[in-house]
Amino acid sequence: MTMARPKTPRLQAPKPTLERPPAIRGLLAPERFMKVLGIVLFAAAAILPFVTATPYIISILTSAFIYIVLAMGLNVVVGYAGLLDLGYIAFMAVGAYTSGILTTQFGLSMLETIPFVVIACILAGVIIGGPTLRLRSDYLAIVTLGFGEIIRITANNLQITGGPSGIHGIPTWSFFGWSFSDGLDILGIHFNAKVLFYYFVLFVGIGVAVVAVSRLGRGKLGRAWKSVRDDEDVSEAMGINGYATKLLAYIIGAVWGGFAGTLMAGHLSAIAPNSFEFLYSALVLMAVVLGGMGSTPGVIIGALFVSLAPEFLREFSEWRFLLFGVLLVVAMIFRPRGIWPANAILPFLKKRQISEVPPTESVGVVGVVENAGDTTGSPASDPATAPNDEEGRR
């Protein structure tokens, strides 16, 4: 016969001394306001072709949107995980050449090349990131810079990649026999191939990239990335595998870069090794740092600024790059943490009011005579005990 074990009392956590402030509601709540602002700007970009649909405007805006997709992938690597990557454009080259080779030499459509692009980018991320992500800071930057140059030089010397001439005649996107080049008529409005590809990049590229990256940053994996970025030793002490976390960030960033390369190949219909020089890696990194590392709206602003500013300054001819550099310097002087940092909140939005901490009660010490006139708490300072002490010494 077994005796019933007595029930042990369960430990209960103490009640918090401060009540949690209620959640902010209404349109001026920071999260809701940013969602509404994003929807409004997204709708404005969708309406823009009905206002002006010149080939030049549509072309530069499509390139700017592809830069946003590319910058969002680098934001995972640099902004969230804190890995300084100076050769990120190499993943864009892997995606562009993979889709270009499969479409021009094997007859696949752009949609059918996506699985191969993802596999190629994952392999590239593992091959490069596997042995090198144990390095930190400047050493990692040098290795990634070398990786970017290796990919460019390899594409420049292989026959399958077209050598210095690159690959030409890359077809646009097609879906089950229908291609963007066929155009589309809706309610008597004709949409040509450029406008259709503009909408494709806007809805599929930016919509998926921005939403997915922002949700990753707010999830469990995103918190692990930020922990490794802030202090890798402390995060490992708390049970986070720093190496695996950084490798996963590198692979996700590589897939995003490869997808941007596929979009760029379909947009330009031709790629060459000169399109993937170190300058473009620096520009994408500049977009992330200038906009605000780890900030989704900041990266979007930085990518638009880096891609569109040279075009807006084109009327200044050879002086446009000098003015572009001056604007970058001015922006970094007045906004050293980025145009829109990760923790930035507009001043007119509501903020949570945190209640003040209640004062702690004083606790007496055993063996010490309390004296209102003396804060030292020493018995010798009490005048009532002074004569007794003197008699004791006698």
Side-chain angles (χ1 to χ4, degrees), residues 59-85:
S59 178
I60 63 172
L61 287 180
T62 304
S63 299
F65 292 163
I66 295 175
Y67 260 88
I68 291 176
V69 178
L70 189 64
M72 293 302 296
L74 185 60
N75 188 39
V76 173
V77 179
V78 178
Y80 291 160
L83 306 174
L84 184 56
D85 193 345

Side-chain angles (χ1 to χ4, degrees), residues 84-167:
L84 184 56
D85 193 345
L86 296 180
Y88 186 71
I89 200 68
F91 296 118
M92 188 178 187
V94 171
Y97 273 105
T98 301
S99 59
I101 292 172
L102 293 177
T103 53
T104 56
Q105 301 186 19
F106 294 92
L108 298 180
S109 64
M110 275 291 185
L111 183 62
E112 294 171 342
T113 63
I114 292 297
F116 298 96
V117 170
V118 172
I119 294 173
C121 292
I122 291 176
L123 291 177
V126 172
I127 292 173
I128 302 302
T132 61
L133 287 181
R134 299 187 185 276
L135 302 174
R136 301 185 185 182
S137 65
D138 300 338
Y139 303 100
L140 178 62
I142 293 172
V143 171
T144 55
L145 174 61
F147 166 62
E149 290 300 306
I150 288 173
I151 293 296
R152 185 184 63 84
I153 294 173
T154 302
N156 196 39
N157 290 275
L158 289 180
Q159 183 177 2
I160 194 172
T161 59
S165 301
I167 301 176

Side-chain angles (χ1 to χ4, degrees), residues 16 60 66 86 88 91 97 104 107 141 177 196-198 221 229 239 287 320 322-323 392:
I60 63 172
I66 295 175
L86 296 180
Y88 186 71
F91 296 118
Y97 273 105
T104 56
L196 290 175
F197 189 75
Y198 169 88
L221 182 59
R229 176 196 64 189
R320 62 174 178 151
L322 176 62
L323 295 176

Side-chain angles (χ1 to χ4, degrees), residues 30-392:
E31 294 185 1
R32 178 169 296 183
F33 180 83
M34 294 306 300
K35 290 180 180 179
V36 172
L37 180 61
I39 294 174
V40 170
L41 294 178
F42 191 83
I47 297 173
L48 183 63
F50 294 94
V51 179
T52 173
T54 60
Y56 174 72
I57 296 295
I58 296 299
S59 178
I60 63 172
L61 287 180
T62 304
S63 299
F65 292 163
I66 295 175
Y67 260 88
I68 291 176
V69 178
L70 189 64
M72 293 302 296
L74 185 60
N75 188 39
V76 173
V77 179
V78 178
Y80 291 160
L83 306 174
L84 184 56
D85 193 345
L86 296 180
Y88 186 71
I89 200 68
F91 296 118
M92 188 178 187
V94 171
Y97 273 105
T98 301
S99 59
I101 292 172
L102 293 177
T103 53
T104 56
Q105 301 186 19
F106 294 92
L108 298 180
S109 64
M110 275 291 185
L111 183 62
E112 294 171 342
T113 63
I114 292 297
F116 298 96
V117 170
V118 172
I119 294 173
C121 292
I122 291 176
L123 291 177
V126 172
I127 292 173
I128 302 302
T132 61
L133 287 181
R134 299 187 185 276
L135 302 174
R136 301 185 185 182
S137 65
D138 300 338
Y139 303 100
L140 178 62
I142 293 172
V143 171
T144 55
L145 174 61
F147 166 62
E149 290 300 306
I150 288 173
I151 293 296
R152 185 184 63 84
I153 294 173
T154 302
N156 196 39
N157 290 275
L158 289 180
Q159 183 177 2
I160 194 172
T161 59
S165 301
I167 301 176
H168 302 273
I170 299 175
T172 187
W173 285 70
S174 59
F175 303 90
F176 309 104
W178 175 78
S179 174
F180 285 158
S181 59
D182 299 333
L184 184 64
D185 294 324
I186 300 178
L187 299 177
I189 303 175
H190 178 72
F191 296 90
N192 56 26
K194 291 186 177 295
V195 175
L196 290 175
F197 189 75
Y198 169 88
Y199 279 116
F200 178 74
V201 175
L202 177 64
F203 287 96
V204 177
I206 294 183
V208 173
V210 172
V211 173
V213 171
S214 60
R215 291 186 65 87
L216 280 175
R218 292 195 300 266
K220 181 179 178 180
L221 182 59
R223 292 193 296 270
W225 286 336
K226 296 172 184 178
S227 176
V228 173
R229 176 196 64 189
D230 295 337
D231 197 319
E232 185 174 352
D233 297 329
V234 173
S235 64
E236 289 182 350
M238 297 302 295
I240 298 176
N241 190 334
Y243 174 73
T245 303
K246 292 191 295 183
L247 182 60
L248 187 57
Y250 204 69
I251 292 174
I252 292 177
V255 172
W256 248 259
F259 179 63
T262 302
L263 294 177
M264 186 63 72
H267 175 53
L268 299 178
S269 72
I271 54 175
N274 294 334
S275 303
F276 309 103
E277 295 179 347
F278 168 72
L279 174 63
Y280 298 100
S281 292
L283 287 175
V284 180
L285 180 61
M286 188 186 307
V288 176
V289 176
L290 181 66
M293 293 188 296
S295 171
T296 299
V299 171
I300 295 175
I301 294 173
L304 291 176
F305 179 82
V306 169
S307 58
L308 296 179
E311 298 296 332
F312 292 153
L313 298 174
R314 186 175 291 275
E315 61 181 9
F316 295 97
S317 186
E318 66 272 7
W319 294 96
R320 62 174 178 151
F321 292 106
L322 176 62
L323 295 176
F324 178 62
V326 171
L327 290 176
L328 292 176
V329 172
V330 170
M332 294 308 298
I333 289 176
F334 291 98
R335 302 291 295 178
R337 299 180 59 188
I339 298 176
W340 196 300
N343 56 353
I345 298 179
L346 296 175
F348 58 86
L349 297 180
K350 296 179 180 179
K351 299 180 181 179
R352 281 190 175 185
Q353 300 295 332
I354 301 177
S355 57
E356 297 182 358
V357 179
T360 57
E361 297 180 357
S362 60
V363 180
V365 181
V366 178
V368 178
V369 180
E370 296 182 356
N371 186 4
D374 185 11
T375 58
T376 59
S378 175
S381 60
D382 191 353
T385 60
N388 296 332
D389 292 344
E390 186 176 356
E391 292 179 359

